[in-house]
Amino acid sequence: MATLDLSLDAVSLTAALVDIESVSRDEAEIADAVEAALRPLPHLEVVRHGHTIVARTDLGRGERVVIAGHLDTVPVNDNLPSRLEGGVLHGLGTCDMKGGDAVILRLAATVPEPVRDVTYILYEAEEIEATHNGLRLLAEARPDLMAADFAILMEPSNASVEAGCQGTLRVEVRTTGERAHSARSWRGVNAIHRAAEVLDRITAVEPRRPVIDGLEYREGLNAVAISGGVAGNVVPDECVVTVNYRFAPDRSEAEAEAFVRELFAGYDVRLTDTSPGALPGLELPAAKAFVEAVGGQVAPKFGWTDVARFTALGVPAVNFGPGDPLYAHKQDEHVPVEHIERCERQLRAWLTGRPAAGPESGHESGHESGERNA
């Protein structure tokens, strides 16, 4: 069984988490390790739900915050184990989002008396269909564990605040035809050829770029898969184009679905997955205070994150985590050491009410040279 040493610095702890393979639906080992590391800490109440671990302080503070991160990754792509080179940690999950998870674990272990009560959540199955999402399952079974005045999702955001998130939905657009021998193709109707019109409709769309709370969101509509064909000598009678629509948070799921169905009018359209977006909510006091505490810079979140789940529960939430989201899911996924250390310093200062200290010279030099605790 894998073990985690929470006395390690956050960068070394990130590497340890990365080296525990945890592709979605295979998080048992990493969840066991997280639970075993957190349970001995006397200042935390630890609850497990499936492969989701919740650790909470209960100090009677006037405010409660949630700091959350998912434990799963996309499939391995010849990018394990981790390696540290020139102040950058490489490997599957370094950016999305085990750097953030390591910060969560370090704070949970080393801030026993925060100025606000904290609920730390490390959860399963964020990278796949919403039905498996650990936060969704927790909200259904134990909504009390997600109650808070404010929430921070440690999704990669270049160690700065990204507000709100896009909604996402997927549909299957089906074309039909008539089978025939390919040597006598005029006797049939080619369903794959009919899919060309579906693709033309997609590429003709000018993506919306609405400005919300001063932040410009950019929508995206893309064919992400296509399937069809019977045999090498048969004109196919069916083709399915899978389309992903990333919609700005000023549109509801129902509005987004209506837009897609109207776009593909005349075709068989089947909705397969949908999750709502989240408005930035920057006017809320808790969000304003956090943004000011970590530097005041805010960008829109391109992509869907679980801030939407907290927003649906009435909890304002932002994204704030180490790593450039452009490297999430890529083979060369990586995270700068400086991002991990900065996020930890700023969150520690916010939770303790003390000014953020500068980088620790011992850690900086060791990580720059490619060394880390083992």
Side-chain angles (χ1 to χ4, degrees), residues 207-225:
R208 295 175 66 236
R209 298 173 66 167
V211 176
I212 307 168
D213 286 357
L215 303 176
E216 183 182 78
Y217 289 84
R218 299 183 63 170
E219 295 193 336
L221 183 73
N222 290 280
V224 294

Side-chain angles (χ1 to χ4, degrees), residues 21-366:
E21 186 178 322
S22 57
V23 176
S24 303
R25 307 306 304 278
D26 191 21
E27 301 100 320
E29 183 178 15
I30 197 169
D32 289 346
V34 167
E35 181 183 13
L38 290 174
R39 279 208 180 275
L41 300 176
H43 60 280
L44 295 175
E45 171 197 5
V46 178
V47 176
R48 179 163 181 162
H49 186 265
H51 296 323
T52 294
I53 312 300
V54 181
R56 315 168 70 241
T57 66
D58 189 12
L59 301 170
R61 305 299 197 216
E63 181 181 55
R64 176 171 292 279
V65 298
V66 168
I67 306 179
H70 62 81
L71 293 169
D72 63 319
T73 71
V74 297
V76 181
N77 187 15
D78 194 26
N79 49 2
L80 285 178
S82 64
R83 72 181 194 281
L84 185 63
E85 295 177 353
V88 177
L89 186 65
H90 299 260
L92 176 64
T94 48
C95 172
D96 190 15
M97 55 175 296
K98 292 182 177 180
D101 294 338
V103 171
I104 291 173
L105 289 170
R106 282 288 297 161
L107 295 171
T110 61
V111 184
E113 295 188 4
V115 296
R116 40 182 63 83
D117 272 311
V118 188
T119 301
Y120 303 100
I121 305 177
L122 294 119
Y123 62 101
E124 63 183 318
E126 189 271 350
E127 297 288 7
I128 55 176
E129 292 82 357
T131 186
H132 304 294
N133 185 288
L135 275 187
R136 185 187 75 82
L137 299 175
L138 187 66
E140 292 175 352
R142 292 291 307 271
D144 57 302
L145 294 178
M146 292 178 63
D149 300 288
F150 183 58
I152 300 164
L153 268 294
M154 296 208 66
E155 289 281 355
S157 59
N158 284 302
S160 61
V161 175
E162 290 186 340
C165 73
Q166 294 169 306
T168 181
L169 66 77
R170 277 185 290 275
V171 294
E172 292 179 347
V173 184
R174 181 170 281 97
T175 63
T176 58
E178 183 180 352
R179 289 192 193 187
H181 195 295
S182 60
R184 295 176 290 278
S185 57
W186 63 89
R187 304 288 294 185
V189 178
N190 194 312
I192 292 178
H193 292 183
R194 284 186 164 182
E197 172 62 23
V198 173
L199 301 178
D200 287 342
R201 292 190 189 187
I202 293 171
T203 56
V205 172
E206 183 67 30
R208 295 175 66 236
R209 298 173 66 167
V211 176
I212 307 168
D213 286 357
L215 303 176
E216 183 182 78
Y217 289 84
R218 299 183 63 170
E219 295 193 336
L221 183 73
N222 290 280
V224 294
I226 188 164
S227 61
V230 180
N233 60 352
V234 177
V235 172
D237 59 348
E238 181 177 272
C239 181
V240 176
V241 180
T242 301
V243 180
N244 182 212
Y245 178 35
R246 299 295 178 131
F247 54 95
D250 61 341
R251 273 188 167 170
S252 68
E253 289 177 278
E255 290 169 334
E257 182 180 353
F259 166 75
V260 170
R261 290 191 180 279
E262 182 180 356
L263 178 66
F264 298 118
Y267 291 97
D268 176 15
V269 177
R270 185 169 74 90
L271 180 69
T272 60
D273 189 45
T274 179
S275 293
L279 291 167
L282 296 177
E283 77 287 352
L284 298 168
K288 284 183 177 179
F290 179 72
V291 169
E292 290 172 2
V294 298
Q297 298 298 314
V298 183
K301 183 63 177 180
F302 296 117
W304 185 90
T305 75
D306 277 306
V307 297
R309 298 197 187 281
F310 285 101
T311 299
L313 293 171
V315 179
V318 297
N319 304 282
F320 176 73
D324 184 340
L326 293 177
Y327 289 98
H329 302 186
K330 292 178 70 68
Q331 185 178 36
D332 63 341
E333 183 175 354
H334 58 264
V335 62
V337 164
E338 189 273 333
H339 279 198
I340 298 172
E341 293 175 336
R342 189 191 336 158
C343 284
E344 183 184 2
R345 285 196 306 273
Q346 292 182 321
L347 280 169
R348 185 181 300 278
W350 185 64
L351 290 177
T352 61
R354 296 192 293 269
E360 297 152 333
S361 59
H363 286 170
E364 287 258 318
S365 60

